[in-house]
Amino acid sequence: MTQMTSPSTATLQGELQTLKRQIESSSDPSAQALLHRDAAYVALDIGEPVVALAHALACLELARLCHDLPLQIKAHVAVALVQAEAYDDLGAAKHFRHAEHLAEESKDDRGAALVAVNASHYHMERGEYLTAAITLQALLNSSSFYALSRPDSCELLEAFYINVVVSTTEALMLKTEHIGELPRIGHYLTEAAQELHALNAHRGNLTSPWCVMNVLDALTRYALWQNDLPTARQFADEFVALSKNTGSIVIYGRALLNRGRVKARLHSWEEAIQDAETAIAQFETGRHDLWAIRARETLAQVYAQTLRFREAFETQREVTQQVELLYRQFHQQQALLGQITQRAKEAEVRAVTFAEAALQDSLTGIPNRAHAMQVLADLQGRAQRGETSVVTLMDLDHFKQVNDTSGHAAGDVVLTRVAQTLRTEVHPVDSVARFGGEEFVVILRGVTLAEAADKCERLRRVLNNLNWDDIVPGLKISASFGLAVLDGHRDLKETLHAADKALYHAKASGRNVVQIERHLPAGVLD
């Protein structure tokens, strides 16, 4: 069996500092978003939910600015898990729903699987094992399940196996009502357990040292369900030994609590009490109050089973007192987390405003060159998949004369009115942007060159017929058009160059005309 060394808390703190430096040095918003997500998860492992939430919200903000739906799914899941750790169940549920809707909208099977696996973990942490198992069964019955077999889903598949075993065995041991709703996941339990046994036997194949302990935890529960108590004790002992070396108080405490449960099943009562008491001490040292409460409840149950009712009563009274304290602490923490969330929302609004302003022409109010290049880059990718579009460069004829004879204020009005007219006249799926000066770009989607030429001819006539008497009596404005096909056979720069050449020929032929590119790329029919 290959051994893996689990990272200590000190190692994780160093990793968090490294991630922060990488975030500061990165200029790629997508890369920064993923680094913030990683930092959020490391901060959770260390037990710093406030730091984790700040990183998770930064990840979500960047993902939205990138307009990257798969990245937004990951960000919403990260925020949900952090909020769940901070006992904000409503907030966590909201972000899981957002992530699920985005996965449906974008038909992202891996994103849907990511949401289901993490949502099941969320339910398991709350003892809602049947709900977790039903969530996983829905994934198993869907087409998204096959995304788990992708090369980039190894860690997700490991988590799926672990969550199947934990949720299903616990639901079965609790003899939960409606357990009959799990026909397929119950059948799949054996297969998932076999996968975990194989992973445990070849630990070097696991994606994370932490995963070893999760596998041992799951196999302990599976052995308990099978009533194989010696095997359960073996896995539980190893879980405790590995977790002690991590330096993580909460993981070590959970391992002790898990082993105490096994010892109680073996009727090793004093050992079970000792594990529960040690777990309580660990949780209180790390100020993990909820886990300390759970450990005390376990201890009270063991006392009751051994007829030590006074100790059971005293321990349960301590639970009540600690719940009251936790309730007050929860509201204090929520106030702090709420401040962070509000600051993040304000920053997000500012960032979105700035981003939109950066893509809008300040004079005419229509999109600018930067926005047009984003649209063209997206259509270039679609063209490579067979969806052709046409790029039109349009230039106002003799516009300099308007500025020279009527002034720049009149020229600005002309540019604005032309821009608004173009935006009104084109189809909603098409795009218009100011490319610079008196030049505009009209992007026509899903059309042939001949169809695009007809549309541009109509635009040319509309501009010709505009009345400018309120600006300069007798003023006439015309425009020349140069068209090139965006077909995926050449790069975007070459396509724009072809449209520019066509515009040059339109100007050279007398202006106020529509000109298509003269040398069509291979495979394009006029």
Side-chain angles (χ1 to χ4, degrees), residues 420-436:
Q420 298 302 326
T421 300
L422 290 172
R423 183 158 65 177
T424 301
E425 292 294 328
V426 300
H427 194 275
V429 300
D430 299 328
S431 303
V432 174
R434 186 182 177 196
F435 226 46

Side-chain angles (χ1 to χ4, degrees), residues 147-199:
L148 293 176
S149 61
R150 286 169 36 175
D152 62 346
S153 298
C154 294
E155 187 174 3
L156 196 58
L157 182 60
E158 291 168 1
F160 174 77
Y161 289 141
I162 290 167
N163 292 0
V164 165
V165 171
V166 171
S167 64
T168 310
T169 55
E170 290 293 346
L172 290 168
M173 284 190 287
L174 288 170
K175 297 181 173 57
T176 311
E177 190 179 357
H178 308 302
I179 195 67
E181 296 177 16
L182 301 175
R184 190 175 179 196
I185 202 75
H187 174 74
Y188 195 77
L189 171 61
T190 302
E191 182 178 338
Q194 289 171 348
E195 293 289 347
L196 292 187
H197 278 293
L199 289 171

Side-chain angles (χ1 to χ4, degrees), residues 98-389:
H98 280 315
E100 187 176 6
H101 292 157
L102 287 173
E104 291 175 359
E105 177 185 336
S106 59
K107 295 182 172 56
D108 181 357
D109 284 337
R110 190 186 183 282
L114 179 73
V115 176
V117 171
N118 282 283
S120 69
H121 171 79
Y122 159 78
H123 290 301
M124 283 159 36
E125 287 292 288
R126 277 144 186 75
E128 300 167 354
Y129 296 110
L130 179 61
T131 303
I134 290 172
T135 300
L136 293 170
Q137 178 166 273
L139 172 60
L140 190 61
N141 291 336
S142 73
S143 60
S144 299
F145 174 70
Y146 299 100
L148 293 176
S149 61
R150 286 169 36 175
D152 62 346
S153 298
C154 294
E155 187 174 3
L156 196 58
L157 182 60
E158 291 168 1
F160 174 77
Y161 289 141
I162 290 167
N163 292 0
V164 165
V165 171
V166 171
S167 64
T168 310
T169 55
E170 290 293 346
L172 290 168
M173 284 190 287
L174 288 170
K175 297 181 173 57
T176 311
E177 190 179 357
H178 308 302
I179 195 67
E181 296 177 16
L182 301 175
R184 190 175 179 196
I185 202 75
H187 174 74
Y188 195 77
L189 171 61
T190 302
E191 182 178 338
Q194 289 171 348
E195 293 289 347
L196 292 187
H197 278 293
L199 289 171
N200 187 48
H202 302 90
R203 293 180 181 177
N205 295 333
L206 288 167
T207 57
S208 162
W210 295 106
C211 195
V212 177
M213 290 178 287
N214 291 330
V215 168
L216 290 170
D217 178 30
L219 290 177
T220 300
R221 298 170 194 254
Y222 185 72
L224 279 176
W225 173 65
Q226 291 189 311
N227 206 33
D228 184 356
L229 300 184
T231 300
R233 173 66 185 265
Q234 176 189 337
F235 286 133
D237 283 340
E238 192 172 3
F239 184 11
V240 169
L242 283 176
S243 63
K244 189 174 184 179
N245 294 331
T246 66
S248 170
I249 289 173
V250 68
I251 293 176
Y252 181 44
R254 291 180 70 164
L256 288 166
L257 205 55
N258 194 44
R259 187 174 68 179
R261 181 186 183 190
V262 176
K263 289 178 176 177
R265 285 279 296 270
L266 288 165
H267 295 172
S268 300
W269 302 114
E270 291 305 318
E271 292 183 8
I273 290 171
Q274 183 180 355
D275 275 349
E277 289 177 340
T278 307
I280 291 169
Q282 290 292 312
F283 294 136
E284 289 183 339
T285 299
R287 301 187 63 80
H288 295 287
D289 299 315
L290 182 59
W291 279 104
I293 289 171
R294 291 176 179 175
R296 277 200 166 85
E297 288 178 333
T298 299
L299 181 59
Q301 291 170 4
V302 174
Y303 280 142
Q305 286 176 308
T306 55
L307 307 181
R308 296 163 64 174
F309 296 115
R310 181 161 188 82
E311 288 97 329
F313 171 75
E314 293 293 340
T315 304
Q316 193 61 50
R317 187 166 63 178
E318 291 173 355
V319 168
T320 302
Q321 293 170 347
Q322 199 162 10
V323 167
E324 292 176 355
L325 177 62
L326 182 61
Y327 183 78
R328 289 194 294 272
Q329 291 174 343
F330 165 75
H331 283 284
Q332 292 170 357
Q333 178 170 268
Q334 283 300 104
L336 179 58
L337 294 176
Q339 292 173 17
I340 293 174
T341 304
Q342 183 60 35
R343 286 199 296 270
K345 287 179 179 177
E346 291 169 356
E348 181 182 340
V349 169
R350 288 195 299 272
V352 169
T353 301
F354 293 152
E356 289 176 348
L359 298 174
Q360 187 178 63
D361 180 57
S362 59
L363 173 64
T364 63
I366 67 172
N368 61 12
R369 185 188 186 100
H371 181 274
M373 294 305 292
Q374 287 186 359
V375 174
L376 290 170
D378 177 63
L379 291 178
Q380 175 77 357
R382 293 174 180 268
Q384 291 169 351
R385 298 191 294 272
E387 180 186 323
T388 60
S389 299

Side-chain angles (χ1 to χ4, degrees), residues 361-366 396 399 402-403 406-422 434 437-438 440 463 466-473 475 477:
D361 180 57
S362 59
L363 173 64
T364 63
I366 67 172
L396 297 182
F399 180 74
V402 177
N403 282 333
S406 304
H408 287 279
D412 288 349
V413 174
V414 169
L415 289 172
T416 301
R417 187 173 295 178
V418 166
Q420 298 302 326
T421 300
L422 290 172
R434 186 182 177 196
E438 65 270 28
F440 296 82
L463 294 178
L466 287 178
N467 189 315
W468 300 98
D469 288 345
D470 59 326
I471 308 300
V472 178
L475 178 65
I477 295 294

